Every structure is written in structure tokens, then in C-alpha cells.
Amino acid sequence: MILTVTLNTALDLTYRVPALTPHASHRVTQVIERPGGKGLNVARVLAALGHETVATGFAGGATGAMLRTHLAPTPVRDELVETAGPTRRTVAVVDTTTGDTTQLNEPGPTVTADEWSTFRERFTRLLDGARAVALCGSLPPGIHVGAYAELVRLARAAAVPVLLDTSGEPLRRGIAARPDLVKPNADELAQLTGSREPHRATRDARRRGAHAVVSSLGPEGLLAATPDGLWRAAPPAAVKGNPTGAGDSAVAGLLSGLVDGAPWPELLTRAVALSAATVLSPVAGEFDAAAYAELLPRVKVTTESETA
């Protein structure tokens, strides 16, 4: 199975409006609720691809109960740890005329020392039998900034490949623990390395400890610094829609290829096609299966010069 970790889960709400106008009242034409947070988005996509998937992390309060209610009918196994504080909500407002999305993210609950200890024990148990683990998203209040570094070390000790997808100081500390794969976006990469030149920043991030780094370049696709060299993967054309969860779908594509033993070009192809198919989906955090199948053979993967 593949294990995903979401320490700061969310109840995702998608509001669709005919047009989003500042300082105006809006009539919402559709409301959609989904279990959210980066790792849960990854788990849902992996399950849709046919992988046995287990999700752990935290959930609490009325919003946490609603999240788990939505998660229950899915193939994802719920191993979330209960918190006293309520799970946060995230709101995506989709302008149906332009396809643009405005995102509002609440803070998460404060996690106690006892709740963290319970989670750590559960995570260690779940590593037994895991083929790969993804550590995804922000840290809620109460969790120490080196938490992901701690979890990376636990995964490595259990010989389970680990992918890290976070930002800021948790990324800086986590990458030093030597995860197998790190997937920052351009802003996270610049914050980590101090460079906005993609090739230099991606190589620099890898030198900081990761076995491989796959950086998201937005509509331009992915750039990967790997033991086998530099690779770039791009969609056949720019796609427009709701980008919520697109990066999480890319993570799912990378993990899917990793556990299948796919070579780097295939890993990156899956990641780019899933990411683009998620942008094309009308619901946050889901991908358009037909678009994914159509995009797969059209993703362009090329090798890049080490001196670029």
C-alpha cells in the first residue's frame, strides 16, 4: 500500500458563481464538499488510479467528522488521529465565466503533545507494509518545525521510500533528513535556495540532501534533478481551469510511477498529465479521467543540459 500523511487536513468547499466581483454579493450556483489537505488529495488520486492507499494525519471537531464522512465511501483507508481542536476549512470560489479560482484557507487546530505522540506511534506502525509514503502540506499549530524531518528519518529507518511536499522551514529541515524525493513549486524552491533560475535552484535543492527533486513550473510543467540527470516534462498546451489540487495530483503521479518501478520519463509523464487533468476538472482536488488518458501520450519529456 501507499501511505499518505496530512498533518493539516481540511474540509474543502468549492463555491461556483457566475462571476466573482470584489465588494459585491454573489449567488452561489453550486456547493461541493470534499475531504481535503494535500495528502488526502494525493490519496484520493492514487486510489482512483487503482493503488491501495492509506491516509493518516489529524482530524477533529464537527468539520473533522464531516471530512471523515466524505472519506468513508472512498477506497482510501482512514487512519486519521482524532484531535480536540476542529479541522480547518478551505474555500475555493470558482468564477464559471473565466474559470479562475480564488482560494481562502483557514488555520488548522492546535495539536497537543499527546496527539502528536499518538500520531507518531500510528505512523510507525503503518510504515510496516508501506511501499512508499508521502508527507504533504503545512504543519498545524502545536507541531514542532522539525516534524517532517523526524518522519523522514522514521521512513528511511523502515526502508520505505519517502516523498516530501511542504514549504518554508519544515522543507528546509526535512530535506536535510535525505528524503527520496522532494516536490516544491517555484516559490517554495526560491525560498529554499534563494534562486529563481529553475535549473540552478533545482540542482541546489538536491545538493541539500534529497535523492531527487521535482520542481513544479506551473503551466510549463515539471523540472527534475535526479541521479540520472536533468529532465523537463511539459503538457502539450496550456490548460485553463481550477488549479486546486493540481500539485497534489502531480505527487500522486510520481508516487504511482515510483511504486511501479517506472523510469523517470514515465514518472514525469504521469505527474504532468494528472496535474493538467486536475486543472480541467470542475471539482477541487479531482482529476478528469478522460483528459488524463488523452494527455498521457502527448506529454513531452526531454533531457536538459547540466550546465543550463
Side-chain angles (χ1 to χ4, degrees):
M1 60 91 167
I2 301 176
L3 176 64
T4 72
V5 173
T6 315
L7 298 179
N8 205 9
T9 58
L11 182 64
D12 280 349
L13 305 174
T14 301
Y15 293 160
R16 297 177 67 82
V17 298
L20 183 61
T21 305
H23 316 298
S25 296
H26 297 78
R27 186 176 298 278
V28 177
T29 58
Q30 185 182 28
V31 180
I32 302 170
E33 289 187 346
R34 291 288 187 274
K38 294 180 73 66
L40 287 182
N41 289 339
V42 171
R44 201 162 52 242
V45 173
L46 285 168
L49 293 173
H51 292 282
E52 180 187 359
T53 310
V54 175
T56 189
F58 296 103
T63 48
M66 184 62 69
L67 180 153
R68 300 180 90 156
T69 297
H70 287 306
L71 188 62
T74 75
V76 178
R77 193 173 102 212
D78 179 354
E79 287 283 355
L80 297 168
V81 172
E82 187 75 20
T83 59
T87 295
R88 66 191 177 124
R89 295 168 297 181
T90 66
V91 180
V93 184
V94 180
D95 184 321
T96 57
T97 300
T98 65
D100 293 333
T101 302
T102 299
Q103 188 82 15
L104 304 172
N105 297 328
E106 295 180 354
T110 297
V111 176
T112 68
D114 285 345
E115 288 165 351
W116 171 252
S117 179
T118 299
F119 165 78
R120 192 180 183 278
E121 292 173 3
R122 184 167 303 186
F123 176 76
T124 302
R125 171 176 60 81
L126 290 170
L127 285 174
D128 184 19
R131 299 174 65 195
V133 58
L135 309 175
C136 302
S138 60
L139 299 179
I143 294 185
H144 64 96
V145 73
Y148 279 135
E150 180 181 348
L151 299 182
V152 169
R153 287 191 288 268
L154 288 172
R156 287 179 55 81
V160 178
V162 55
L163 183 153
L164 178 62
D165 182 14
T166 188
S167 60
E169 190 62 22
L171 173 60
R172 190 180 306 277
R173 298 199 186 194
I175 202 171
R178 307 187 68 80
D180 294 88
L181 184 56
V182 175
K183 197 214 73 63
N185 62 32
D187 289 339
E188 294 162 351
L189 197 61
Q191 186 180 11
L192 175 69
T193 66
S195 173
R196 284 200 169 271
E197 199 290 309
H199 293 81
R200 182 182 301 113
T202 304
R203 288 194 299 262
D204 183 22
R206 183 167 180 254
R207 284 194 291 268
R208 291 169 184 258
H211 185 69
V213 175
V214 177
S215 59
S216 173
L217 306 179
E220 298 178 13
L222 299 173
L223 180 66
T226 78
D228 299 324
L230 285 173
W231 304 83
R232 183 186 287 270
V239 294
K240 192 172 183 62
N242 184 356
T244 304
D248 306 330
S249 290
V251 169
L254 294 169
L255 283 170
S256 173
L258 181 67
V259 298
D260 288 345
W264 276 106
E266 185 175 337
L267 264 75
L268 297 172
T269 293
R270 292 188 193 187
V272 168
L274 277 170
S275 180
T278 299
V279 173
L280 294 170
S281 172
V283 179
E286 296 189 358
F287 70 95
D288 184 317
Y292 173 58
E294 191 272 334
L295 285 163
L296 263 178
R298 300 174 58 212
V299 173
K300 183 178 181 181
V301 181
T302 58
T303 57
E304 299 277 295
S305 168
E306 290 286 349
T307 58

